Structures are given as C-alpha cells and as structure tokens.
C-alpha cells in the first residue's frame, strides 16, 4: 500500500465524507454497498482509503500531529475522523467512525437514496436518487468537490498547530486511473475499464479550477497569517500556472474569465468578502464549463494529463 503518497512526512488527508449532502444523515456502510457492487467493493478493500481504518491511528506521524492538537483517540476526534474515516452521526454530536474512507465518503450518505437507486422497477430511479443526495460519477463537479474537500486540508489549526501537510500537488486523474478506479459497469464485473479520455480531460480541468476556487475561499476564511494562509497562496499560484497551460490549449472564454478572476484576487488580509465573492463566481463558471463540455473537444489538454506510471497505486483487475 502506497502510504508514502498520502501520509507526509506522511500525513495527507484522503477523501471526505463532508459534502454538500444534508448534515446528520446516516451511512448504510460499505458492506451494504458490496451486496450489489461486489467488484467495486473488492477494489476498495485494496486501497489506501480502506487501509486507513486499520493503520492511520497507529502511525507515528499521525500520533505526533494528534499530540500537538491534544487529541487522545484519533478515531473519536472529529478533526481527524472527518477525512480519514466514514463517520456515523452519534448522540451529542460525537464522532462514531465505522470504516475507512469508503463508498459513501465519495457518493454521499445513503440513508435517503439507497433504496431509491436500487429499485429496478423505476426507470427514473437514478434521477430520484441524485435529487436525494447521491453523487454519481457523471456529476463531475460534485465528485471533484468531494475529493478536494479533504485533499486541500481546509483546517487552519490542523496545519498551523498540528503541523499537518497542506495537501499540495493533488491531481484527481492520477487517483481515478490508479487504485481507486472501479469501472466495472460496462463489462458487467469482468474487468476494470480505463476512464474514457473525454472524461479524464473533464475531470482534469474541473479539478484545477476547483483547486483555484478553494485556495481563494480558504484564504478568505483564514484567521491568521500562518502556514495555512501561506499555503493557500502557494496553491492558488500553482492552480493559476496549470490553468494558464490549459487555457492556452483550449482558448475558451470561460477559462479566460476564470484565470482573470484568479489573477486579480488579492490574497491579502482584510478582504474576506471580496475573496468569497470571487470564489463564488469561479464556482459558477466551473459549473458552466462542466455543463458546456463533455470532454470530447478538449483533446488539446491530453499532454497535460498524468501519463503511464503517474497514477496513484495499482489498478485492480484492469
């Protein structure tokens, strides 16, 4: 398992179950998902996301961070558990971790939508499930935002006081084409198909727009000019550099506008309202980009995508 890739110096957070989903919803758990999605579930059991349940709280680097934050039990700490585990709502707002980063961490807590999406008699089952909070792979913006909600490590105290890695360098396609890939639907469980090129392009561009948007939004919410704030500036600059290369190849007005907004966002203290407004505008333009493009006309960015050997972990049953 490639723990060196997600614990810096090891500790870099994984996917979050903190999402746009309604707060307080219960999780059905990965075993329940596995009843119908067996090859996907088997893939998950071979990932770092699965292994965090058994290993993260025992690692020395994690213990050092926990000690700085005066955290005794990592699995019961909301600060740690919100990204490293799947957490069942508990009485009094306490954390009750039930698994590592799992199915519902990415696709949303299934309390309201599980029975709906599994109804074979309803041709509109998936649409109804999405309306109830299910995040399907076709929802590129939703899926990317799930990834970045933890991979950008949006916790000022965790970084400034705990010394946690700030989560720089995250590339969503490198994960999609690595150990987390679980595309068995078309082959009916026979093989784990590669993500289609058009989809990879879309995920790649939306990912870097999200990195820019979150860097600006998170800086706006920073309380101090510590490492957390400094790293937001670093991530903003890295996202702008990557997006400039993308825009140069695609020459799309929506991307030009996003770049203009990003470059013009002053990451300096005292501009919270202005920066939040800029981040909201970029978020809207991101949704516009995703709605207007299915990836088929974005081939000009193919040379920017992570190539062979750049994926995170090994693909199961390719």
């Amino acid at each position: 398992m490639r723990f060196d890739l997600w614990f810096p110096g090891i500790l870099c957070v994984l996917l979050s179950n903190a999402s746009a989903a309604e707060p307080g919803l219960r999780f059905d758990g990965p075993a329940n998902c596995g009843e119908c999605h067996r090859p996907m579930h088997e893939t998950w059991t071979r990932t770092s996301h699965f292994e965090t349940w058994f290993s993260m709280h025992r690692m020395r680097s994690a213990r050092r961070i926990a000690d700085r934050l005066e955290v005794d039990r990592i699995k019961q700490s909301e600060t740690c558990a919100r990204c490293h585990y799947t957490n069942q709502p508990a009485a009094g707002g306490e954390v009750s971790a039930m698994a590592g980063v799992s199915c519902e961490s990415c696709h949303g807590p299934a309390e309201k939508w599980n029975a709906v999406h599994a109804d074979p008699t309803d041709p509109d089952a998936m649409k109804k499930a999405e309306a109830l909070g299910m995040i399907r792979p076709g929802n590129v913006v939703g899926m990317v935002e799930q990834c970045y909600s933890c991979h950008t490590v949006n916790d000022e105290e965790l970084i400034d006081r705990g010394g946690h890695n700030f989560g720089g360098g995250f590339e969503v396609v490198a994960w999609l084409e690595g150990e987390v890939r679980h595309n068995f639907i078309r082959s009916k469980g026979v093989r784990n198909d590669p993500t289609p090129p058009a989809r990879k392009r879309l995920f790649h561009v939306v990912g870097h727009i999200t990195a820019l948007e979150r860097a600006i939004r998170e800086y706006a919410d920073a309380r101090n000019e510590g490492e957390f704030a400094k790293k937001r500036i670093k991530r903003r600059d890295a996202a702008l550099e990557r997006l400039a290369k993308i825009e140069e190849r695609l020459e799309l007005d929506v991307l030009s506008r996003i770049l203009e907004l990003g470059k013009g966002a002053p990451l300096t203290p005292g501009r919270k309202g202005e920066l939040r407004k800029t981040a909201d505008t970029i978020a809207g333009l991101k949704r516009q980009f995703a709605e207007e493009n299915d990836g088929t006309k974005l081939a000009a960015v193919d040379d920017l995508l992570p190539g062979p050997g750049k994926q995170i972990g090994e693909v199961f049953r390719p």
Side-chain angles (χ1 to χ4, degrees):
M1 199 62 62
R2 301 285 299 281
F3 288 114
D4 59 303
L5 294 170
W6 56 282
F7 269 99
I10 93 193
L11 191 60
C12 170
V13 295
L14 303 173
L15 295 176
S16 174
N17 52 40
S19 69
E22 181 181 336
L25 291 178
R26 296 186 64 79
F27 292 80
D28 285 353
N32 188 59
C33 300
E35 291 181 6
C36 294
H37 300 286
R38 290 184 181 179
M40 294 77 158
H41 184 273
E42 191 173 359
T43 299
W44 170 66
T45 63
R46 288 163 168 77
T47 65
S48 303
H49 292 161
F50 172 81
E51 287 290 340
T52 187
W53 173 257
F54 304 99
S55 303
M56 195 276 283
H57 57 289
R58 296 189 176 99
M59 301 187 78
R60 291 181 180 178
S61 54
R63 188 65 260 166
R64 285 194 293 268
I65 292 173
D67 287 344
R68 294 183 193 117
L69 297 173
E70 299 180 4
V71 168
D72 182 26
R73 301 180 67 85
I74 290 175
K75 282 188 176 180
Q76 294 178 6
S77 164
E78 195 274 338
T79 296
C80 304
R82 66 171 175 254
C83 282
H84 289 285
Y85 306 111
T86 301
N87 308 310
Q88 199 68 279
E94 296 179 355
V95 171
S96 178
M98 62 184 296
V101 179
S102 63
C103 317
E104 293 164 275
S105 301
C106 305
H107 298 290
E111 177 183 352
K112 289 188 175 182
W113 56 257
N114 191 24
V116 175
H117 102 286
D119 183 358
T121 66
D122 187 351
D124 296 321
M126 289 300 182
K127 289 182 179 180
K128 292 178 180 177
E130 285 189 282
L132 292 171
M134 181 183 184
I135 303 173
R136 298 181 66 194
N139 180 358
V140 173
V141 170
M143 292 300 299
V144 168
E145 289 179 346
Q146 286 292 90
C147 298
Y148 276 86
S149 64
C150 258
H151 276 286
T152 55
V153 196
N154 184 22
D155 189 315
E156 191 168 9
E157 184 180 36
L158 189 57
I159 291 176
D160 287 356
R161 182 181 166 199
H164 196 293
N165 180 281
F166 77 102
F170 177 71
E171 164 52 61
V172 66
V173 176
W175 283 89
L176 287 177
E177 285 304 282
E179 63 179 46
V180 302
R181 193 173 93 195
H182 49 283
N183 301 331
F184 290 95
I185 296 295
R186 288 191 180 89
S187 67
K188 298 181 179 180
V190 174
R191 65 182 178 277
N192 193 351
D193 291 330
T195 303
R199 299 283 294 167
K200 287 193 289 187
R201 297 164 192 154
L202 198 55
F203 270 104
H204 178 77
V205 179
V206 170
H208 289 292
I209 298 173
T210 301
L212 175 64
E213 171 204 340
R214 289 188 67 90
I216 295 171
R217 191 182 307 281
E218 291 165 9
Y219 182 92
D221 292 335
R223 297 182 299 275
N224 305 295
E225 285 300 297
E227 281 301 303
F228 178 84
K230 293 175 183 177
K231 298 304 185 183
R232 304 309 104 172
I233 297 174
K234 183 175 181 179
R235 181 178 291 123
R236 188 275 308 267
D237 292 346
L240 284 173
E241 181 179 353
R242 179 61 68 168
L243 285 169
K245 294 178 180 179
I246 291 171
E247 193 275 336
E248 181 181 346
R249 287 162 172 75
L250 299 179
E251 297 182 340
L252 295 175
D253 289 343
V254 64
L255 293 179
S256 299
R257 177 60 178 150
I258 289 171
L259 269 174
E260 180 184 355
L261 287 165
K263 291 176 180 178
L267 297 196
T268 54
R271 295 178 178 269
K272 187 172 185 175
E274 178 184 352
L275 292 174
R276 279 186 172 182
K277 183 177 180 180
T278 297
D280 288 343
T281 303
I282 291 174
L285 291 168
K286 175 177 66 177
R287 290 189 291 271
Q288 177 186 333
F289 172 82
E291 290 168 359
E292 294 175 348
N293 293 277
D294 61 5
T296 56
K297 297 181 180 180
L298 306 179
V301 303
D302 283 351
D303 67 311
L304 299 177
L305 301 179
K310 298 296 184 180
Q311 73 273 10
I312 307 299
E314 299 296 325
V315 178
F316 174 64
R317 282 172 52 184

mmCIF file with all atom_site columns, all heavy atoms in Angstrom, residues 120-131:
data_model
loop_
_atom_site.group_PDB
_atom_site.id
_atom_site.type_symbol
_atom_site.label_atom_id
_atom_site.label_alt_id
_atom_site.label_comp_id
_atom_site.label_asym_id
_atom_site.label_entity_id
_atom_site.label_seq_id
_atom_site.pdbx_PDB_ins_code
_atom_site.Cartn_x
_atom_site.Cartn_y
_atom_site.Cartn_z
_atom_site.occupancy
_atom_site.B_iso_or_equiv
_atom_site.pdbx_formal_charge
_atom_site.auth_seq_id
_atom_site.auth_comp_id
_atom_site.auth_asym_id
_atom_site.auth_atom_id
_atom_site.pdbx_PDB_model_num
ATOM 1  N N   . PRO A 1 120 ? -35.256 -1.615 -9.293  1.00 0.00 ? 120 PRO A N   1
ATOM 2  C CA  . PRO A 1 120 ? -35.166 -1.966 -10.715 1.00 0.00 ? 120 PRO A CA  1
ATOM 3  C C   . PRO A 1 120 ? -36.456 -1.699 -11.489 1.00 0.00 ? 120 PRO A C   1
ATOM 4  O O   . PRO A 1 120 ? -36.465 -1.746 -12.717 1.00 0.00 ? 120 PRO A O   1
ATOM 5  C CB  . PRO A 1 120 ? -34.853 -3.467 -10.672 1.00 0.00 ? 120 PRO A CB  1
ATOM 6  C CG  . PRO A 1 120 ? -35.494 -3.941 -9.408  1.00 0.00 ? 120 PRO A CG  1
ATOM 7  C CD  . PRO A 1 120 ? -35.350 -2.817 -8.435  1.00 0.00 ? 120 PRO A CD  1
ATOM 8  N N   . THR A 1 121 ? -37.522 -1.411 -10.792 1.00 0.00 ? 121 THR A N   1
ATOM 9  C CA  . THR A 1 121 ? -38.805 -1.183 -11.466 1.00 0.00 ? 121 THR A CA  1
ATOM 10 C C   . THR A 1 121 ? -39.026 0.273  -11.847 1.00 0.00 ? 121 THR A C   1
ATOM 11 O O   . THR A 1 121 ? -39.984 0.585  -12.555 1.00 0.00 ? 121 THR A O   1
ATOM 12 C CB  . THR A 1 121 ? -39.970 -1.630 -10.560 1.00 0.00 ? 121 THR A CB  1
ATOM 13 O OG1 . THR A 1 121 ? -40.028 -0.776 -9.400  1.00 0.00 ? 121 THR A OG1 1
ATOM 14 C CG2 . THR A 1 121 ? -39.772 -3.076 -10.108 1.00 0.00 ? 121 THR A CG2 1
ATOM 15 N N   . ASP A 1 122 ? -38.142 1.150  -11.391 1.00 0.00 ? 122 ASP A N   1
ATOM 16 C CA  . ASP A 1 122 ? -38.324 2.578  -11.626 1.00 0.00 ? 122 ASP A CA  1
ATOM 17 C C   . ASP A 1 122 ? -37.275 3.084  -12.623 1.00 0.00 ? 122 ASP A C   1
ATOM 18 O O   . ASP A 1 122 ? -36.100 3.168  -12.303 1.00 0.00 ? 122 ASP A O   1
ATOM 19 C CB  . ASP A 1 122 ? -38.193 3.341  -10.313 1.00 0.00 ? 122 ASP A CB  1
ATOM 20 C CG  . ASP A 1 122 ? -38.549 4.819  -10.446 1.00 0.00 ? 122 ASP A CG  1
ATOM 21 O OD1 . ASP A 1 122 ? -38.734 5.284  -11.591 1.00 0.00 ? 122 ASP A OD1 1
ATOM 22 O OD2 . ASP A 1 122 ? -38.634 5.509  -9.407  1.00 0.00 ? 122 ASP A OD2 1
ATOM 23 N N   . PRO A 1 123 ? -37.686 3.454  -13.849 1.00 0.00 ? 123 PRO A N   1
ATOM 24 C CA  . PRO A 1 123 ? -36.727 3.950  -14.845 1.00 0.00 ? 123 PRO A CA  1
ATOM 25 C C   . PRO A 1 123 ? -36.087 5.276  -14.451 1.00 0.00 ? 123 PRO A C   1
ATOM 26 O O   . PRO A 1 123 ? -35.049 5.656  -14.993 1.00 0.00 ? 123 PRO A O   1
ATOM 27 C CB  . PRO A 1 123 ? -37.584 4.099  -16.110 1.00 0.00 ? 123 PRO A CB  1
ATOM 28 C CG  . PRO A 1 123 ? -38.982 4.259  -15.607 1.00 0.00 ? 123 PRO A CG  1
ATOM 29 C CD  . PRO A 1 123 ? -39.066 3.430  -14.369 1.00 0.00 ? 123 PRO A CD  1
ATOM 30 N N   . ASP A 1 124 ? -36.694 5.983  -13.516 1.00 0.00 ? 124 ASP A N   1
ATOM 31 C CA  . ASP A 1 124 ? -36.153 7.264  -13.067 1.00 0.00 ? 124 ASP A CA  1
ATOM 32 C C   . ASP A 1 124 ? -35.454 7.149  -11.718 1.00 0.00 ? 124 ASP A C   1
ATOM 33 O O   . ASP A 1 124 ? -35.226 8.156  -11.033 1.00 0.00 ? 124 ASP A O   1
ATOM 34 C CB  . ASP A 1 124 ? -37.286 8.304  -12.967 1.00 0.00 ? 124 ASP A CB  1
ATOM 35 C CG  . ASP A 1 124 ? -37.915 8.606  -14.316 1.00 0.00 ? 124 ASP A CG  1
ATOM 36 O OD1 . ASP A 1 124 ? -37.162 8.676  -15.304 1.00 0.00 ? 124 ASP A OD1 1
ATOM 37 O OD2 . ASP A 1 124 ? -39.139 8.771  -14.366 1.00 0.00 ? 124 ASP A OD2 1
ATOM 38 N N   . ALA A 1 125 ? -35.077 5.936  -11.356 1.00 0.00 ? 125 ALA A N   1
ATOM 39 C CA  . ALA A 1 125 ? -34.509 5.707  -10.022 1.00 0.00 ? 125 ALA A CA  1
ATOM 40 C C   . ALA A 1 125 ? -33.259 6.540  -9.774  1.00 0.00 ? 125 ALA A C   1
ATOM 41 O O   . ALA A 1 125 ? -33.101 7.140  -8.703  1.00 0.00 ? 125 ALA A O   1
ATOM 42 C CB  . ALA A 1 125 ? -34.194 4.227  -9.848  1.00 0.00 ? 125 ALA A CB  1
ATOM 43 N N   . MET A 1 126 ? -32.364 6.594  -10.738 1.00 0.00 ? 126 MET A N   1
ATOM 44 C CA  . MET A 1 126 ? -31.114 7.311  -10.533 1.00 0.00 ? 126 MET A CA  1
ATOM 45 C C   . MET A 1 126 ? -31.327 8.819  -10.410 1.00 0.00 ? 126 MET A C   1
ATOM 46 O O   . MET A 1 126 ? -30.682 9.491  -9.596  1.00 0.00 ? 126 MET A O   1
ATOM 47 C CB  . MET A 1 126 ? -30.134 6.998  -11.660 1.00 0.00 ? 126 MET A CB  1
ATOM 48 C CG  . MET A 1 126 ? -29.580 5.601  -11.603 1.00 0.00 ? 126 MET A CG  1
ATOM 49 S SD  . MET A 1 126 ? -28.692 5.312  -10.053 1.00 0.00 ? 126 MET A SD  1
ATOM 50 C CE  . MET A 1 126 ? -28.125 3.638  -10.311 1.00 0.00 ? 126 MET A CE  1
ATOM 51 N N   . LYS A 1 127 ? -32.225 9.367  -11.220 1.00 0.00 ? 127 LYS A N   1
ATOM 52 C CA  . LYS A 1 127 ? -32.520 10.794 -11.123 1.00 0.00 ? 127 LYS A CA  1
ATOM 53 C C   . LYS A 1 127 ? -33.095 11.127 -9.753  1.00 0.00 ? 127 LYS A C   1
ATOM 54 O O   . LYS A 1 127 ? -32.742 12.143 -9.142  1.00 0.00 ? 127 LYS A O   1
ATOM 55 C CB  . LYS A 1 127 ? -33.502 11.207 -12.222 1.00 0.00 ? 127 LYS A CB  1
ATOM 56 C CG  . LYS A 1 127 ? -32.908 11.209 -13.624 1.00 0.00 ? 127 LYS A CG  1
ATOM 57 C CD  . LYS A 1 127 ? -33.931 11.684 -14.640 1.00 0.00 ? 127 LYS A CD  1
ATOM 58 C CE  . LYS A 1 127 ? -33.341 11.707 -16.040 1.00 0.00 ? 127 LYS A CE  1
ATOM 59 N NZ  . LYS A 1 127 ? -34.332 12.168 -17.058 1.00 0.00 ? 127 LYS A NZ  1
ATOM 60 N N   . LYS A 1 128 ? -33.965 10.262 -9.274  1.00 0.00 ? 128 LYS A N   1
ATOM 61 C CA  . LYS A 1 128 ? -34.552 10.492 -7.957  1.00 0.00 ? 128 LYS A CA  1
ATOM 62 C C   . LYS A 1 128 ? -33.495 10.375 -6.863  1.00 0.00 ? 128 LYS A C   1
ATOM 63 O O   . LYS A 1 128 ? -33.504 11.142 -5.903  1.00 0.00 ? 128 LYS A O   1
ATOM 64 C CB  . LYS A 1 128 ? -35.681 9.481  -7.722  1.00 0.00 ? 128 LYS A CB  1
ATOM 65 C CG  . LYS A 1 128 ? -36.892 9.682  -8.618  1.00 0.00 ? 128 LYS A CG  1
ATOM 66 C CD  . LYS A 1 128 ? -37.945 8.610  -8.373  1.00 0.00 ? 128 LYS A CD  1
ATOM 67 C CE  . LYS A 1 128 ? -39.154 8.816  -9.281  1.00 0.00 ? 128 LYS A CE  1
ATOM 68 N NZ  . LYS A 1 128 ? -40.171 7.735  -9.103  1.00 0.00 ? 128 LYS A NZ  1
ATOM 69 N N   . ALA A 1 129 ? -32.593 9.410  -7.019  1.00 0.00 ? 129 ALA A N   1
ATOM 70 C CA  . ALA A 1 129 ? -31.536 9.231  -6.028  1.00 0.00 ? 129 ALA A CA  1
ATOM 71 C C   . ALA A 1 129 ? -30.621 10.448 -5.983  1.00 0.00 ? 129 ALA A C   1
ATOM 72 O O   . ALA A 1 129 ? -30.206 10.894 -4.907  1.00 0.00 ? 129 ALA A O   1
ATOM 73 C CB  . ALA A 1 129 ? -30.737 7.971  -6.349  1.00 0.00 ? 129 ALA A CB  1
ATOM 74 N N   . GLU A 1 130 ? -30.311 10.999 -7.152  1.00 0.00 ? 130 GLU A N   1
ATOM 75 C CA  . GLU A 1 130 ? -29.476 12.205 -7.192  1.00 0.00 ? 130 GLU A CA  1
ATOM 76 C C   . GLU A 1 130 ? -30.163 13.371 -6.488  1.00 0.00 ? 130 GLU A C   1
ATOM 77 O O   . GLU A 1 130 ? -29.512 14.148 -5.785  1.00 0.00 ? 130 GLU A O   1
ATOM 78 C CB  . GLU A 1 130 ? -29.154 12.574 -8.635  1.00 0.00 ? 130 GLU A CB  1
ATOM 79 C CG  . GLU A 1 130 ? -28.120 11.675 -9.275  1.00 0.00 ? 130 GLU A CG  1
ATOM 80 C CD  . GLU A 1 130 ? -27.666 12.188 -10.627 1.00 0.00 ? 130 GLU A CD  1
ATOM 81 O OE1 . GLU A 1 130 ? -28.415 11.998 -11.605 1.00 0.00 ? 130 GLU A OE1 1
ATOM 82 O OE2 . GLU A 1 130 ? -26.579 12.784 -10.697 1.00 0.00 ? 130 GLU A OE2 1
ATOM 83 N N   . ALA A 1 131 ? -31.466 13.480 -6.682  1.00 0.00 ? 131 ALA A N   1
ATOM 84 C CA  . ALA A 1 131 ? -32.216 14.553 -6.024  1.00 0.00 ? 131 ALA A CA  1
ATOM 85 C C   . ALA A 1 131 ? -32.190 14.392 -4.508  1.00 0.00 ? 131 ALA A C   1
ATOM 86 O O   . ALA A 1 131 ? -32.345 15.365 -3.767  1.00 0.00 ? 131 ALA A O   1
ATOM 87 C CB  . ALA A 1 131 ? -33.653 14.559 -6.527  1.00 0.00 ? 131 ALA A CB  1
#
